[in-house]
Amino acid sequence: RRVLFRSNGHSFHLRLLTYLEGTFWVNVSGRNDGLHYYLGRFMAQMDKVLSDFSHPAMHRRYTWDISTATDNWVLLEAVRDPERKRLAGYFLLQFETQVVPVLPQLRQAYIHNDANDYNVLVDGGRVSGLIDFGDMVHSALVNNVAVACTYAMLNEPDPLAVATRVVKGYHEEYPLRLEEVDLLYYLIAGRLCISVIQSAVRSAAQSGNEHHYITERHAWQLLQQLIRINPLLAGDSFRRACGFSPVIREEGHR
C-alpha cells in the first residue's frame, strides 16, 4: 500500500510491501515425499477457496494456459534442434488427439496457473505460500494440478513418483474426477511443450532476459524422461493415488 511520509517540510510517497515467510521451492534442498504431498494439498485448498471466485478479465486465450498448447504448432519451427523438434511435435500431437476432444467436458475454474519452483514458498517442511497471480486464467481445473506437478518434477530422478505424490495430496483435499486424472500425463507434457517452445521463440528473437530460459534445460530433460514413461503406466499411478481402479492389470505384466 502507499503512504504519505513528511520529513523536514518535504513530502514523500512510500510503497509498503509485506512478504510471505518461506524459502522458494527451487532453493529448498532435500525435498522429500511429504513436501510433494503437501504441495498438492496446498493447491487443492486454494482451488476450493477460489471455487466461488469469478472475474471477466480471466476469460482470455492465454499462451501459458495448457488448454491452448496446440497454438504452439505454428511456433515449433523456432526449435532448431531436429531431435528436440520431433520430441515436442510428438507430445503436441498426443495433446491434440488425447486432450483437445474432451476439453469442453472438463470442470472449469479460475486457476493460479503458475505454481512453479520460483513461486512456491516452503517453511518448516510445508508449503507456506504462493506468489505471482499474474498468470491466472479461467481454464480446466485439472490444469492447475498439472502445472504444480510439472515444476515439482523438474530435475528429479523419478518424476512420476513426485507427480503421483502431488496428485495424491490434491485429491485427498479436493477430489479429482477420473477423466481429469487420465489426462494428467498429457497435460504435463503440454505445459512443458509450451515452456520449451516459448523459450525457443525468445531465443530466436535474441532476448537477453535470462528469465525466458530459466527452466528450459530441465524442461527438455523432463520431456525426455516422459517419453520413456508409458502413458498407461503414468495414468495407473495417478489412478491408484486417487483410489480409482487401474487400467493395467497385474496379469498384463506376466
Side-chain angles (χ1 to χ4, degrees), residues 116-133:
N116 70 51
D117 42 356
Y118 287 87
N119 286 342
V120 175
L121 291 165
V122 177
D123 190 36
R126 298 282 187 100
V127 174
S128 59
L130 185 65
I131 66 169
D132 191 355
F133 285 71

Side-chain angles (χ1 to χ4, degrees), residues 26 31 84 117-118 150-151 153-156 192 195-196 213-225:
V26 70
R31 293 188 289 268
R84 286 181 166 182
D117 42 356
Y118 287 87
T150 300
Y151 290 98
M153 295 164 77
L154 291 176
N155 202 28
E156 291 282 355
L192 289 167
S195 182
V196 296
Y213 318 109
I214 202 164
T215 61
E216 183 180 20
R217 179 169 63 89
H218 293 312
W220 280 117
Q221 180 184 39
L222 182 51
L223 280 173
Q224 291 284 359
Q225 289 171 301

Side-chain angles (χ1 to χ4, degrees), residues 4 17 22 25 59 78 177 215 221 242 252:
L4 181 63
L17 301 177
W25 181 281
H59 291 262
R177 297 176 180 174
T215 61
Q221 180 184 39
C242 298

